[in-house]
Amino acid sequence: MPSSTALTSFDHPGFEALKRRIDGARLSAARAVNRELVGLYWDIGQAIREQQTRCGWGDAAVDRLARDLKASFAATAGLSAASLWRMRQFHETCTKPELLAPLVREIRHDTPRPGNPER
């Protein structure tokens, strides 16, 4: 039997604030995951490019790497040979000097700074 002080609905004064807090935490978590994935993709692309330059890796080596990664991380999507080639292309494209300055400006523009309200 419910007590007389138990809430009978979700119309509690702090509930909306709690929902906003949950939404904010979910958004922060999603941004953190995206940031980590972009960094991972960058690192994989960089490693492939370096191995191609230093060790003469070709298509077969990237295919073999994709098979090994799939075997090691079976539950993880996005490690196919086609994805690895896109990661390599991502690293190659985003390291071109003409792209780096605009990306830095964009990152700085999107990052909230103390004292500046978020958009």
Side-chain angles (χ1 to χ4, degrees):
M1 179 137 216
S3 84
S4 59
T5 59
L7 294 175
T8 56
S9 72
F10 290 106
D11 194 22
H12 186 271
F15 187 66
E16 289 302 316
L18 181 60
K19 287 187 345 187
R20 286 191 301 274
R21 172 72 176 99
I22 292 168
D23 281 342
R26 290 175 62 188
L27 181 59
S28 293
R31 285 180 179 159
V33 167
N34 286 340
R35 188 172 27 255
E36 286 299 316
L37 284 174
V38 168
L40 174 63
Y41 298 159
W42 175 275
D43 291 344
I44 291 171
Q46 180 180 29
I48 291 170
R49 288 183 70 204
E50 286 175 358
Q51 292 300 317
Q52 287 178 321
T53 301
R54 274 195 256 139
C55 302
W57 272 22
D59 294 359
V62 175
D63 292 341
R64 197 171 41 232
L65 174 62
R67 282 193 305 275
D68 183 62
L69 290 174
K70 280 185 179 182
S72 297
F73 303 100
T76 303
L79 297 174
S80 67
S83 292
L84 297 181
W85 284 114
R86 282 191 295 272
M87 292 173 203
R88 184 205 180 283
Q89 183 180 22
F90 167 62
H91 183 269
E92 181 179 21
T93 300
C94 292
T95 53
K96 293 179 180 176
E98 64 271 15
L99 293 177
L100 290 179
L103 286 173
V104 169
R105 282 194 295 273
E106 184 176 323
I107 290 168
R108 287 184 183 153
H109 183 67
D110 288 343
T111 305
R113 292 182 236 357
N116 289 350
E118 255 189 90
R119 289 188 251 151

